[in-house]
């Protein structure tokens, strides 16, 4: 990484026009919310596992949870780089509209892939043949995945808006959106635990999908003004 960055440091950074000096308070205001976001995201997995263990069909759901969630994460990861791409390119002319149009492409593609896995024999191929789950666990994994199929396209938009927030130096919106994600998912998981009416894995997947939707809506509300300004340039 150091060798790859060396030409940039010697050329572009050495000749970059001087702007306002970066102070420690300004740095911490920008950086600490991002640190908090990363730390809070580590709670998602244990919260999900703890809730699943307390809902109906817990043993089978805990057995399937790593397989279904891991496959879901693999699909979602396609959109993760949008965050950095938006931060890097948003200052270019016409970038906002171009990046938004591009975001719609992986969002639509990920939705199509999720639908195909949830409602075609592809689920049996992945969860049964490749992952080695039995017929009952394959059916449970497919059902759980179906309840979370909106997460991958939502992640595409979340990373786009999150990049916009970082570009606009609204990093506090990023951390507050993660707090909201945890609050919404915890509330829905608690509802599943209290009522004891829903199978654990589908309920957990639904909780996280709903929390992701709430996170996207929160982020958009926080940076909507900046988005309008960038779209008008």
């Amino acid at each position: 990484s150091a060798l790859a960055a060396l030409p940039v440091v010697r050329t572009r950074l050495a000749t970059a026009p001087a702007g306002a000096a970066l102070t420690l308070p300004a740095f911490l205001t920008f950086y600490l919310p991002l640190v908090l976001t990363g730390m809070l995201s580590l709670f998602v997995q244990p919260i999900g596992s703890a809730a699943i263990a307390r809902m109906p069909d817990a043993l089978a759901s805990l057995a399937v949870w790593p397989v279904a969630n891991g496959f879901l994460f693999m699909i979602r990861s396609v959109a993760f780089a949008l965050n950095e791409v938006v931060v890097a390119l948003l200052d270019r002319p016409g970038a906002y509209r171009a990046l938004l149009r591009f975001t719609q492409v992986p969002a639509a593609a990920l939705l199509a892939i999720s639908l195909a896995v949830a409602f075609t024999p592809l689920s049996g191929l992945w969860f049964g043949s490749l992952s080695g789950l039995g017929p009952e666990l394959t059916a449970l994994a497919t059902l759980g995945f179906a309840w979370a199929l909106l997460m991958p396209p939502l992640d595409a938009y979340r990373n786009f808006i999150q990049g916009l927030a970082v570009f606009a130096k609204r990093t506090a919106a990023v951390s507050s959106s993660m707090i909201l994600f945890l609050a919404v998912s915890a509330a829905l998981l608690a509802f599943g635990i209290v009522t004891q009416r829903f199978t654990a894995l589908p309920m957990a997947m639904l909780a996280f999908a709903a929390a992701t939707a709430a996170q996207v809506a929160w982020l958009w509300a926080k940076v909507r003004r900046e988005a309008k300004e960038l779209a008008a340039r």
Side-chain angles (χ1 to χ4, degrees), residues 63-151:
V64 171
W65 166 249
V67 180
N69 194 47
F71 184 51
L72 182 66
F73 184 86
M74 185 173 68
I75 296 175
R76 292 167 55 209
S77 67
V78 172
F80 288 174
L82 278 170
N83 194 327
E84 288 77 13
V85 171
V86 171
V87 174
L89 300 180
L90 201 52
D91 60 343
R92 300 190 181 187
Y96 175 82
R97 296 184 184 278
L99 290 168
L100 180 58
R101 285 196 302 270
F102 176 79
T103 301
Q104 294 167 354
V105 175
L110 292 175
L111 178 59
I113 293 171
S114 300
L115 287 168
V117 171
F119 298 109
T120 72
L122 285 175
S123 61
L125 176 63
W126 181 266
F127 294 123
S129 301
L130 294 178
S131 300
L133 299 179
E136 292 184 1
L137 293 183
T138 296
L140 180 59
T142 304
L143 179 61
F145 185 87
W147 280 104
L149 61 84
L150 289 181
M151 283 188 71

Side-chain angles (χ1 to χ4, degrees), residues 163-233:
L164 175 58
V166 174
F167 178 83
K169 297 182 174 58
R170 298 288 304 277
T171 53
V174 179
S175 58
S176 61
S177 74
M178 178 53 69
I179 293 172
L180 178 65
F181 175 93
L182 291 175
V184 172
S185 57
L188 290 173
L189 290 170
F191 174 77
I193 294 172
V194 171
T195 58
Q196 291 290 305
R197 293 181 58 186
F198 308 100
T199 303
L201 182 66
M203 185 64 199
M205 291 297 201
L206 175 62
F208 290 130
T212 303
Q215 186 181 16
V216 170
W218 176 269
L219 276 169
W220 178 248
K222 290 293 184 180
V223 301
R224 185 169 51 185
R225 185 185 65 182
E226 287 81 357
K228 288 183 178 180
E229 293 173 355
L230 287 165
R233 286 184 184 178

Side-chain angles (χ1 to χ4, degrees), residues 1-84:
S1 297
L3 289 174
L6 195 59
V8 179
V9 174
R10 288 177 172 174
T11 56
R12 293 177 59 183
L13 293 184
T15 58
L22 179 63
T23 63
L24 181 59
F27 174 80
L28 292 177
T29 299
F30 182 86
Y31 182 66
L32 288 180
L34 299 179
V35 174
L36 179 62
T37 302
M39 293 175 63
L40 289 173
S41 66
L42 299 177
F43 287 97
V44 175
Q45 191 78 12
I47 286 175
S49 298
I52 288 173
R54 290 165 171 81
M55 285 190 281
D57 209 4
L59 188 60
S61 294
L62 284 172
V64 171
W65 166 249
V67 180
N69 194 47
F71 184 51
L72 182 66
F73 184 86
M74 185 173 68
I75 296 175
R76 292 167 55 209
S77 67
V78 172
F80 288 174
L82 278 170
N83 194 327
E84 288 77 13

